[in-house]
Amino acid sequence: MTEHKSGFVAIVGRPNVGKSTLLNRIVGQKIAIMSDKAQTTRNKIQGVYTTEDTQIVFIDTPGIHKPKSRLGDFMVETAYSALREVDVVLFMISADQKRGKGDDFIIERLKKSNVPVFLVVNKLDKVQPDQLLLTIEDYAKQMEFAEVVPISATEGNNFETLMQIIEDKLPEGPQYFPEDQITDHPEYFIVAELIREKILLLTRDEIPHSVAVVVDSMKRNDQDKVEIQATIIVERDSQKGIVIGKGGKMMKQIGTKARQDIEHLLGDKVFLELWVKVQKDWRDKQRYLTDYGYKE
Ligand code: GDP
Ligand code: K
Ligand code: MG
């Protein structure tokens, strides 16, 4: 079995550079758009790109584009934390436009991110090669980019290349969404991924990336909190021990950190209950992939 990769990608850039056009191209492939329910989350999923061995989830990061008042800055910083939840950031610019304030604002934020940032130079069809090079040079002086990819979102130039180099940067991970079917609970996926991230972070490589998290239910309780039940699936008893920790200490830490992020994501108070289950070789069994498809 070849390794399956998956992860999250944010597209940022000032208005009219072609972000929506690129997303439409992505969605026009083997893709589905999220239901309206996705709009209720702060970081809404904009499209999912699925191939046999990869799944790329594109998310929107509202707030990064527009600085406002001083008070607003705080909101921007909060929204900006979404950029740390992704595996790759695509910073899109337009080849026929000069770098402006909007770009510099985004660059300042991207500099603080430790996620690989790709400079995606769109509208390649509108400029001569020498102008393209000048534009790239100018941006490359501002910060370091993991990749620079000139594309044309309307014509399709370098689209496949872009998808391929994103894939190269993604971690090993499961197919979160069915290939041609989309759940109407997209938050489940993000919530599960946030929990998974905390496990990997806090156990420091003691738990393999193949650890799965399934959100079993999500509903509002009497205290007006979003009550979430989730199961962490590991492959060995020893891993279960690590996840739980001495006297349940690790589990508590994972829960606290994950809850904070989920509250931020949903903009709601959250009550999070976590369980751990050992399921040997679950990844090899298609049945489990379907069972753990994060569906209700
Ligand atoms: P967004 O605001 O970043 O989402 O930008 P849009 O996707 O709405 O695109 C803004 C405009 O640029 C639209 O008129 C697009 O048709 C146009 N556009 C986007 N990509 C390209 C491209 O690669 N080449 C050309 N010539 N126009 C493009
Ligand atoms: K992943
Ligand atoms: Mg747009």
Side-chain angles (χ1 to χ4, degrees), residues 53-239:
D53 53 9
T54 316
Q55 188 162 69
I56 312 174
V57 182
F58 289 86
I59 66 160
D60 190 16
T61 52
I64 184 171
H65 315 295
K66 270 185 244 153
K68 282 210 182 103
S69 62
R70 204 154 242 298
L71 235 175
D73 279 353
F74 173 74
M75 298 298 288
V76 169
E77 293 305 331
T78 311
Y80 179 70
S81 70
L83 290 189
R84 283 179 233 126
E85 314 287 357
V86 296
D87 299 293
V88 175
V89 176
L90 303 184
F91 173 33
M92 190 182 265
I93 62 166
S94 183
D96 67 337
Q97 280 186 312
K98 282 217 153 35
R99 182 166 52 86
K101 266 191 196 161
D103 296 303
D104 291 343
F105 175 78
I106 293 169
I107 288 169
E108 282 318 303
R109 260 127 208 96
L110 293 179
K111 275 185 189 167
K112 294 183 212 153
S113 163
N114 50 5
V115 168
V117 178
F118 292 4
L119 180 68
V120 177
V121 190
N122 190 33
K123 308 196 188 182
L124 139 77
D125 57 293
K126 282 179 98 172
V127 296
Q128 297 298 317
D130 50 344
Q131 192 187 343
L132 179 66
L133 283 176
L134 284 175
T135 304
I136 291 172
E137 256 174 33
D138 177 45
Y139 277 86
K141 267 188 246 159
Q142 314 304 317
M143 66 172 281
E144 205 177 306
F145 295 103
E147 301 280 350
V148 176
V149 201
I151 66 161
S152 170
T154 48
E155 310 303 306
N157 307 46
N158 287 339
F159 176 75
E160 302 293 336
T161 311
L162 179 61
M163 292 303 124
Q164 183 56 53
I165 59 175
I166 291 172
E167 184 182 328
D168 291 343
K169 286 275 190 287
L170 297 185
E172 202 179 318
Q175 181 178 316
Y176 300 112
F177 298 94
E179 189 172 332
D180 49 15
Q181 184 204 326
I182 273 321
T183 167
D184 52 5
H185 288 297
E187 300 93 339
Y188 280 35
F189 297 84
I190 304 188
V191 165
E193 190 57 16
L194 287 176
I195 298 169
R196 201 174 81 89
E197 183 194 75
K198 300 299 171 275
I199 298 166
L200 297 177
L201 189 82
L202 291 165
T203 62
R204 303 175 181 258
D205 296 336
E206 283 187 89
I207 297 296
H209 280 250
S210 58
V211 62
V213 174
V214 178
V215 171
D216 304 306
S217 74
M218 229 164 124
K219 57 174 190 285
R220 195 168 290 280
N221 70 14
D222 303 341
Q223 284 99 48
D224 206 32
K225 284 186 176 182
V226 178
E227 191 170 312
I228 300 172
Q229 316 239 347
T231 308
I232 299 166
I233 300 145
V234 292
E235 289 189 293
R236 278 193 279 283
D237 291 328
S238 60
Q239 293 168 349

Side-chain angles (χ1 to χ4, degrees), residues 265-276:
L265 171 83
L266 302 176
D268 249 321
K269 285 278 171 217
V270 165
F271 175 76
L272 176 63
E273 215 172 354
L274 293 175
W275 310 86
V276 193

